[in-house]
Amino acid sequence: MKLGIVGLPNVGKSTLFNSLTKAGAQAANFPFCTIDPNIGVVPVPDERIKLLGELYHTKKVTPAAIEFVDIAGLVKGASKGEGLGNQFLSNIRETDAIVHVVRCFEDTNVIHVDGSVDPIRDIEVINLELIFADLEVLERRLSKVSKAARMDKSLQKEEALLIRVKAHLEDGKAARSLEITDEDELLLMKDFNFLTYKPVIYAANVCEDDLADDGANNDMVKKVREFAAAEGSGVFVVCAKIEEEIAELDDDEKAEFLEALGLTEAGLDKLVAASYDLLGLMSFLTAGEDECRAWTIKKGTKAPQAAGKIHTDFERGFIKAEVINYKDLLEQGSLAAAREKGLVGIEGKEYVVKDGDVILFRFNV
């Protein structure tokens, strides 16, 4: 999973990136500190594979991973060259979703580029710049497709869709809000890689005092949640400065620190949950003495396609899958003991994989 991080300058974007990835991206209290994209790959926190690793005394534990791409802060007029312009938006066109960091705290020591804190105004500024960036890409593609469609009628459907999307964007609306049900058009939309077609998770960056109640008493957070609900986006509340402190602690210190703050999970855990939920993802597990590993798949994936996530040969030669829930396996202490209790299912090609399934695939090629 690959997530692009966007936001205005000085909203805590690079600070959050630093804390999530420990990559040491530059973060400072002035606009346009981040010019080149910062990229970091982070393991997805998953207690399940850690416990399975202890059960199997495994040589290697491999969690699923998220890649974060942090780009320079956008400002109003970026599409016309204001600030650093919008040329670096190409760095997040290949991401699965966008994490939009929104400032929801007052602090006279942290400069806001517009002189005041207003999360909805800030969101709309960024959204408009993403729309302008999409229009640039769309117009270039439409020009090529329209010329080719005169000779190739098979391109007329793509041309018609691009014209519809163009009108929608010119109305100031994100591409993801355009109603599309045709399967061919949905595939085309994925291929276009429009920024405003990607799912969005708003990271409401708050002060430490608003963390314990998850921003419930912060009016700015309430507005962000209402805005996100109206467009079907995700939201999670985070304090980037606190996350920066957490990132420096080991696991035991981290647990104590979170408890002292009245928290049950860190920002990365919240972001993972929000991302998986928004993108319809989950994880199945494989376990053994050599390796215990988590594999990220779409909800609704059938056994052969899940096997293909490990290796294409597994899918091509799929015979069956031995499946057990990780809790049952941990309780029984071994796969053999679980088999004796009848807790291991033998599943075929139509089996829909569930979150937390531990699977042993049988295949022949």
Side-chain angles (χ1 to χ4, degrees):
M1 181 164 57
K2 192 172 182 179
L3 303 176
I5 304 178
V6 303
L8 291 171
N10 276 14
V11 295
K13 191 169 53 61
S14 292
T15 301
L16 181 61
F17 172 84
N18 281 343
S19 61
L20 294 176
T21 65
K22 300 185 184 179
Q26 191 178 6
N29 186 22
F30 56 89
F32 317 123
C33 178
T34 310
I35 298 175
D36 296 322
N38 294 304
I39 298 173
V41 178
V42 181
V44 173
D46 195 334
E47 186 71 11
R48 300 173 303 184
I49 54 166
K50 181 183 175 184
L51 294 171
L52 288 171
E54 292 169 358
L55 176 67
Y56 279 88
H57 304 291
T58 191
K59 297 172 186 172
K60 185 179 180 184
V61 172
T62 308
I66 298 178
E67 181 176 323
F68 290 103
V69 182
D70 173 38
I71 62 169
L74 290 166
V75 294
K76 187 176 183 179
S79 58
K80 298 174 184 174
E82 293 294 326
L84 294 174
N86 66 4
Q87 70 275 10
F88 39 77
L89 283 172
S90 60
N91 293 303
I92 60 169
R93 284 207 177 271
E94 302 299 322
T95 57
D96 299 302
I98 288 174
V99 179
H100 185 160
V101 183
V102 187
R103 179 171 166 177
C104 293
F105 65 90
E106 297 280 1
D107 187 341
T108 54
N109 294 316
V110 180
I111 304 160
H112 191 289
V113 289
D114 287 326
S116 63
V117 182
D118 182 340
I120 303 306
R121 178 203 60 205
D122 294 353
I123 288 172
E124 289 172 344
V125 166
I126 296 293
N127 284 352
L128 194 57
E129 292 306 323
L130 297 182
I131 285 170
F132 285 142
D134 279 349
L135 277 168
E136 285 180 27
V137 172
L138 184 150
E139 284 165 358
R140 287 197 296 269
R141 182 155 183 160
L142 181 57
S143 177
K144 291 178 183 177
V145 170
S146 294
K147 288 175 185 175
R150 294 170 196 159
M151 303 294 292
D152 185 352
K153 290 186 178 180
S154 67
L155 292 172
Q156 289 178 354
K157 189 169 190 174
E158 180 176 345
E159 181 186 25
L161 177 59
L162 285 168
I163 291 169
R164 278 174 60 209
V165 177
K166 183 173 184 285
H168 194 72
L169 293 173
E170 287 175 340
D171 277 344
K173 299 172 184 172
R176 61 182 168 273
S177 66
L178 180 63
E179 190 172 340
I180 300 172
T181 55
D182 182 89
E183 288 295 328
D184 292 335
E185 288 187 342
L186 288 169
L187 288 173
L188 282 169
M189 287 299 286
K190 286 183 181 178
D191 184 51
F192 295 155
N193 258 340
F194 292 136
L195 293 168
T196 63
Y197 190 63
K198 297 181 186 298
V200 175
I201 303 162
Y202 293 103
N205 188 14
V206 301
C207 64
E208 180 182 335
D209 293 342
D210 287 328
L211 265 184
D213 66 359
D214 205 35
N217 292 309
N218 182 315
D219 289 337
M220 289 184 278
V221 173
K222 289 176 186 176
K223 289 177 182 177
V224 172
R225 284 186 166 131
E226 288 168 6
F227 186 94
E231 66 172 21
S233 296
V235 180
F236 75 104
V237 173
V238 66
C239 175
K241 292 300 293 180
I242 290 294
E243 292 301 317
E244 200 170 35
E245 293 180 41
I246 290 173
E248 301 302 318
L249 306 175
D250 61 32
D251 287 346
D252 289 339
E253 290 173 328
K254 175 180 163 184
E256 290 175 12
F257 188 64
L258 288 172
E259 186 178 352
L261 291 171
L263 304 175
T264 56
E265 57 185 354
L268 179 58
D269 302 286
K270 289 183 180 181
L271 177 53
V272 169
S275 304
Y276 272 53
D277 183 56
L278 189 67
L279 296 171
L281 301 175
M282 64 179 199
S283 296
F284 75 91
L285 315 166
T286 53
E289 291 181 5
D290 289 332
E291 183 181 34
C292 288
R293 183 162 180 167
W295 304 86
T296 302
I297 57 172
K298 283 272 189 185
K299 291 177 182 177
T301 299
K302 292 183 179 180
Q305 287 70 51
K309 186 79 175 176
I310 300 172
H311 198 288
T312 51
D313 284 350
F314 284 28
E315 181 176 359
R316 188 159 52 90
F318 179 87
I319 299 171
K320 64 181 179 180
E322 292 189 58
V323 183
I324 181 172
N325 181 271
Y326 82 98
K327 289 181 181 177
D328 290 335
L329 178 55
L330 290 170
E331 285 174 6
Q332 297 305 315
S334 72
L335 196 59
R339 283 196 189 104
E340 287 180 12
K341 293 281 182 69
L343 296 172
V344 180
I346 307 299
E347 307 293 350
K349 293 182 178 180
E350 294 304 308
Y351 177 72
V352 177
V353 177
K354 298 180 183 66
D355 187 51
D357 277 350
V358 181
I359 306 179
L360 177 63
F361 292 105
R362 304 293 185 189
F363 69 102
N364 182 34
V365 289

